[in-house]
Amino acid sequence: SSGINAECPLRPGNINTEKRRLDLARLDLDAAKSKVRGARTPEAMQQNEQKVRESQAAFDRQYEQTKILLTDADRKSAEFTNHLEELVRSQINFHENAKKLLEETYAKMKK
């Protein structure tokens, strides 16, 4: 059972971890941009601009990964809801049929 849960993409822990990674990537990107603004020499500016490009690429990758995970979670949530509705509908039908059979049996017993 725990093996299944560990791989389930709908676990809030997985989504929260990816969102946290996205937040950290954004913070890294913001820090890199701040260093570019504070650079005193052209060499420092060039190094910091490279760091901005790397941080932007890391942020973009994490953004896409998080977006895919959230889209998948949304789709699976909708699927789950549909299956749950089907289950409830079939249970209602089962109990309605059981009630009819019990009423018929009870009527036969009274005769």
Side-chain angles (χ1 to χ4, degrees):
S1 166
S2 64
I4 293 171
N5 288 338
E7 297 174 8
C8 180
L10 288 180
R11 284 187 41 201
N14 291 349
I15 293 171
N16 290 337
T17 299
E18 294 305 318
K19 287 167 89 174
R20 199 171 318 114
R21 286 180 183 161
L22 181 63
D23 288 341
L24 291 173
R26 182 62 203 192
L27 290 173
D28 287 346
L29 179 57
D30 290 345
K33 287 180 178 180
S34 292
K35 286 183 181 181
V36 167
R37 288 190 294 273
R40 304 263 186 241
T41 65
E43 294 83 20
M45 182 173 278
Q46 188 176 21
Q47 286 177 347
N48 292 338
E49 286 175 345
Q50 177 61 31
K51 179 67 176 161
V52 167
R53 286 189 290 278
E54 292 168 5
S55 296
Q56 183 69 54
F59 174 79
D60 291 344
R61 281 190 303 273
Q62 186 59 42
Y63 173 81
E64 286 303 317
Q65 187 172 350
T66 304
K67 181 179 161 186
I68 289 167
L69 185 65
L70 290 171
T71 301
D72 189 47
D74 190 43
R75 180 186 56 78
K76 287 185 179 184
S77 177
E79 287 176 8
F80 176 79
T81 300
N82 288 338
H83 291 301
L84 185 58
E85 286 176 13
E86 288 177 25
L87 174 65
V88 169
R89 215 172 310 130
S90 68
Q91 287 293 304
I92 289 170
N93 288 338
F94 172 81
H95 288 286
E96 286 174 347
N97 289 336
K99 181 183 177 212
K100 287 177 189 173
L101 287 173
L102 286 172
E103 287 172 345
E104 290 171 8
T105 303
Y106 181 68
K108 288 179 184 176
M109 290 173 63
K110 286 178 65 174
K111 289 183 180 181

